Amino acid sequence: MSSSASTPKAAQAAAFPDGTTDYVPLRSNQALDAKKVHIADQPITWGNWHQHVNWLNTFFIIIVPLIGFVSCYWVKLHPYTAIFAVLYYFWTGLGITAGYHRSGAVEGSIRWWSHGHRAHHRYTDTEKDPYSVRKGLLYSHMGWMVMKQNPKRKGRTDITDLNEDPVVVWQHRNFIKCVIFMAVIFPTLVCGLGWGDWWGGYVYAGILRVCFVQQATFCVNSLAHWLGDQPFDDRNSPRDHVITAFVTLGEGYHNFHHEFPSDYRNAIEWWQYDPTKWAITFWKWIGLAYDLKQFRSNEIEKGRVQQLQKKLDQKRATLDWGTPLEQLPVVDWDDFVEQSKNGKALVAIAGVIHDVGDFIKDHPGGKALISSAIGKDATAIFNGGVYNHSNAAHNLLSTMRVGVLRGGCEVEIWKRAQFENKDMTYVEDSTGQRIIRAGNQVTKIVQPVASADAA
């Protein structure tokens, strides 16, 4: 499993506070330390690459399937064998997605697989994740099995419940026998005794069927963490995509699975492809499954809404909402008027000064109307006096801000009406940006209603 240090000098392990070790040179009179770095923690070279390979897994995952594909040249595919191979593919696939026996798919014992799966959920995308996609798509697909891994780096997780289950313990101890029978002998017997296709059963329903089931399962660790969107949470890599769902018997809705792991479903919409969920539901109807867990729909929708809001915040952060009012310079009315007379196309609306010079020629109401408002307070004109401008117009106007007026005239009346509106609140999104709802722009002023004692 491990090899000696590559340096010709003697070395010893030096412990660090975090528990890791490294090798440092020794003087000739120092004793050799028997500890060695695990092969997985050593760089791959032309001289040691073969030591990095897990040859047992490589034989079953790569070499055996290749033998099966080559055998197709001599072994003709019988129609009945093809049908049985497809049915057995789905059955053993459900043994992975809906159950834990996994023998017919040759994917490890219940105990071994569950330990890795629980570690994957607990340490998703970290160094302790046994098949983290952060280490590469190919690594998460099958590289973590065909290359030796340092067991000390795998995240710890509790499997005491499995160790106390007699069925799990029996299957773990007799896994090789289970694999040989369910993966190879059983399909060969079915095809051989059923319609005399012994070799076809062995090659197509046995070897090649196992290969396709395995590759489909491996996509849960790779493709489901790489392709698709993240409707419930995007802190980690799991994603939802219909292509992955078709490949993995419904496991493609992996973002949901990681966010709500105790839910027996992957797809929660009726139109989403999830044969695993349908199979479990059917088994419940006939009494073969019970105590199925589901997250409350209220909590699921919370996660969906929060993720939608996060995406909205991210999109909002890319848009130009204009310079925040608190960052604008304060300008006296007289200075505002003076600058307008000296060639600047400045217009005051709701106490905010806007430079409309570049917009005059594009004004839908014509140049004359907007030009007539330069150097003046156009709050009433903009908010219904001449035309009650649209939400889009208020948004566009916000990008032309250049200053805030200090006191005076009609501005104060309109601003007072605005700030007396108790429904106006300032809310910031997750990026720290102020959320401006439609109709709540600072330039959107509700005209004061005349009171009875106005006379």
Side-chain angles (χ1 to χ4, degrees):
M1 294 292 292
S2 61
S3 63
S4 58
S6 58
T7 176
K9 297 182 179 180
Q12 69 174 0
F16 287 86
D18 62 356
T20 60
T21 60
D22 196 5
Y23 280 88
V24 295
L26 282 169
R27 295 180 182 177
S28 57
N29 59 345
Q30 289 182 301
L32 291 174
D33 194 315
K35 294 183 180 179
K36 299 175 182 178
V37 176
H38 193 279
I39 186 64
D41 297 328
Q42 297 181 34
I44 300 177
T45 65
W46 286 110
N48 72 359
W49 68 268
H50 60 283
Q51 294 178 312
H52 282 268
V53 178
N54 186 322
W55 289 106
L56 181 62
N57 287 349
T58 300
F59 176 77
F60 286 110
I61 295 174
I62 298 177
I63 299 177
V64 171
L66 288 177
I67 295 174
F69 281 109
V70 172
S71 300
C72 292
Y73 182 79
W74 294 281
V75 181
K76 183 179 179 181
L77 177 59
H78 192 287
Y80 290 169
T81 301
I83 295 173
F84 172 72
V86 172
L87 293 176
Y88 200 42
Y89 166 86
F90 276 95
W91 187 253
T92 52
L94 287 175
I96 296 168
T97 59
Y100 291 99
H101 73 76
R102 316 183 79 81
S103 300
V106 194
E107 294 192 15
S109 68
I110 301 171
R111 184 182 182 278
W112 175 85
W113 183 87
S114 297
H115 181 268
H117 189 69
R118 291 180 182 182
H120 169 63
H121 271 266
R122 184 177 181 182
Y123 304 102
T124 305
D125 296 339
T126 69
E127 283 295 323
K128 294 183 178 181
D129 184 348
Y131 28 86
S132 172
V133 76
R134 303 296 188 203
K135 297 179 181 179
L137 188 65
L138 184 59
Y139 174 88
S140 63
H141 188 75
M142 56 192 296
W144 66 281
M145 289 178 288
V146 299
M147 303 298 288
K148 292 178 181 177
Q149 307 298 319
N150 188 343
K152 293 183 178 179
R153 294 188 177 276
K154 185 177 180 180
R156 293 179 179 273
T157 186
D158 183 22
I159 56 170
T160 53
D161 58 323
L162 301 178
N163 292 333
E164 295 171 356
D165 189 311
V167 175
V168 173
V169 173
W170 180 90
Q171 193 245 18
H172 183 74
R173 290 175 177 173
N174 298 277
F175 181 68
I176 298 300
K177 299 175 184 177
C178 294
V179 162
I180 294 174
F181 180 78
M182 293 302 299
V184 180
I185 297 178
F186 175 72
T188 302
L189 288 175
V190 171
C191 297
L193 296 176
W195 45 90
D197 190 17
W198 296 92
W199 278 108
Y202 176 73
V203 173
Y204 293 103
I207 294 177
L208 294 183
R209 189 262 323 158
V210 168
C211 172
F212 284 110
V213 171
Q214 288 182 341
Q215 293 302 317
T217 306
F218 298 164
C219 286
V220 179
N221 299 332
S222 57
L223 204 61
H225 286 259
W226 178 73
L227 177 66
D229 57 4
Q230 299 172 296
F232 299 100
D233 191 15
D234 63 357
R235 292 176 300 167
N236 295 317
S237 61
R239 298 172 181 273
D240 288 2
H241 202 283
V242 64
I243 291 179
T244 314
F246 276 111
V247 172
T248 61
L249 300 184
E251 293 284 329
Y253 301 102
H254 212 52
N255 190 255
F256 177 87
H257 173 63
H258 269 257
E259 190 68 9
F260 309 103
S262 64
D263 200 306
Y264 80 96
R265 305 164 298 173
N266 272 280
I268 58 175
E269 306 295 344
W270 68 267
W271 46 267
Q272 292 175 321
Y273 180 75
D274 188 0
T276 300
K277 174 188 67 178
W278 302 333
I280 295 175
T281 302
F282 174 74
W283 293 334
K284 179 183 179 182
W285 289 344
I286 62 177
L288 294 179
Y290 58 91
D291 195 24
L292 304 185
K293 300 294 190 298
Q294 288 188 23
F295 257 78
R296 290 185 294 175
S297 59
N298 182 70
E299 306 312 308
I300 293 174
E301 290 308 308
K302 280 182 184 178
R304 196 197 304 271
V305 169
Q306 288 172 330
Q307 185 63 8
L308 285 173
Q309 188 62 60
K310 185 175 182 179
K311 291 179 179 179
L312 285 174
D313 293 345
Q314 293 171 346
K315 182 64 177 178
R316 183 185 290 109
T318 67
L319 303 176
D320 179 10
W321 298 91
T323 305
L325 297 178
E326 59 271 18
Q327 297 180 18
L328 294 172
V330 179
V331 181
D332 290 327
W333 177 263
D334 293 339
D335 291 335
F336 158 69
V337 174
E338 184 66 24
Q339 292 179 37
S340 300
K341 291 180 179 179
N342 292 332
K344 289 189 175 182
L346 303 180
V347 175
I349 300 177
V352 182
I353 302 171
H354 304 83
D355 187 341
V356 297
D358 294 334
F359 182 67
I360 292 178
K361 64 181 182 300
D362 298 321
H363 185 231
K367 296 180 180 180
L369 184 59
I370 193 172
S371 296
S372 66
I374 293 176
K376 302 176 183 178
D377 189 312
T379 305
I381 297 174
F382 193 79
N383 285 278
V386 173
Y387 181 73
N388 193 12
H389 283 74
S390 66
N391 182 68
H394 285 276
N395 284 337
L396 177 61
L397 188 64
S398 69
T399 65
M400 305 177 192
R401 299 169 181 167
V402 293
V404 177
L405 279 173
R406 178 183 285 118
C409 308
E410 187 179 7
V411 178
E412 291 300 313
I413 298 175
W414 288 100
K415 289 181 69 175
R416 189 179 307 116
Q418 176 192 16
F419 286 110
E420 286 178 355
N421 183 351
K422 297 181 180 180
D423 293 332
M424 290 197 62
T425 57
Y426 294 118
V427 181
E428 292 184 346
D429 63 21
S430 60
T431 67
Q433 211 171 23
R434 181 174 294 173
I435 298 176
I436 306 299
R437 305 295 185 194
N440 285 347
Q441 296 94 333
V442 66
T443 51
K444 180 69 176 180
I445 305 298
V446 179
Q447 297 188 31
V449 178
S451 60
D453 60 350

